[in-house]
Amino acid sequence: MPATPHPELAAEVAELLRQSQQANAALMRGDIHHYLGLITHSDDYTLMSPFGGTPTHGPQITSERWEDIGRFFSNGSLTQELVQSYASTDMVVLATIERAHVEVGGLPAQAWSLRVTLVYCREGSGWRLAHRHADPLVNGISLEHAAALARDPETCTAPEHASPGVALEV
């Protein structure tokens, strides 16, 4: 694991990394209850889904929504690679690559690799996940592809962008 600026927090960072890997592996199996048993979310949790769209905030994720998220994934496995960690007394940031092989949203099982940033904040004696941002750009894309994704479909008049796609929120 890359060094963190506060060596006294190394064990806590390692534990957050382990919990993150186990929780997201459970999620890839569709086991939302195990996921939620391992990760505590802050009240103002923000989720920036790998499918884009408007970020989701803690109060919007009801128990029914968590159940939907659990059903969205099935039969998966996950490994997690730490890119970098940053730690201070009250905040830990983990930049990771999650490599899953999973059925997502009814699609056949396939490789799903995501670049993920996790922000944990200390609350009392524990850590709560305050932010997750994921994107599927592990393998990189061309400038043209990035530009096409970044265009605002409401203002773009090119024929290939005349009808915007549906953004999935997980």
Side-chain angles (χ1 to χ4, degrees), residues 15-163:
E15 178 60 15
L16 287 173
L17 187 65
R18 184 192 68 75
Q19 284 179 343
S20 164
Q21 193 281 327
Q22 287 184 348
N24 288 303
L27 183 59
M28 294 301 101
R29 294 188 305 271
D31 188 350
I32 193 64
H33 299 287
H34 191 198
Y35 170 86
L36 292 171
L38 290 167
I39 300 292
T40 303
H41 297 84
S42 67
D43 293 338
D44 59 351
Y45 173 67
T46 302
L47 172 63
M48 296 178 77
S49 163
F51 305 110
T54 303
T56 305
H57 298 279
Q60 296 170 310
I61 309 175
T62 63
S63 58
E64 293 82 18
R65 183 78 174 115
W66 279 120
E67 292 293 331
D68 288 344
I69 290 170
R71 285 188 291 275
F72 195 69
F73 302 97
S74 61
N75 301 315
S77 61
L78 178 131
T79 60
Q80 180 178 265
E81 169 192 338
L82 180 64
V83 176
Q84 185 68 49
S85 66
Y86 303 92
S88 68
T89 305
D90 295 323
M91 183 177 291
V92 170
V93 177
L94 302 175
T96 68
I97 304 289
E98 292 179 356
R99 298 182 193 282
H101 191 270
V102 61
E103 296 172 19
V104 178
L107 295 175
Q110 68 176 43
W112 284 84
S113 294
L114 300 174
R115 301 181 319 166
V116 177
T117 303
L118 302 166
V119 178
Y120 288 89
C121 293
R122 187 184 302 277
E123 291 188 20
S125 62
W127 293 94
R128 295 179 80 182
L129 184 60
H131 177 75
R132 176 183 168 91
H133 179 227
D135 71 52
L137 301 176
V138 172
N139 297 314
I141 60 175
S142 69
L143 174 62
E144 292 79 12
H145 192 175
L149 290 171
R151 283 189 196 102
D152 180 352
E154 298 297 320
T155 61
C156 185
T157 58
E160 66 270 17
H161 301 287
S163 63

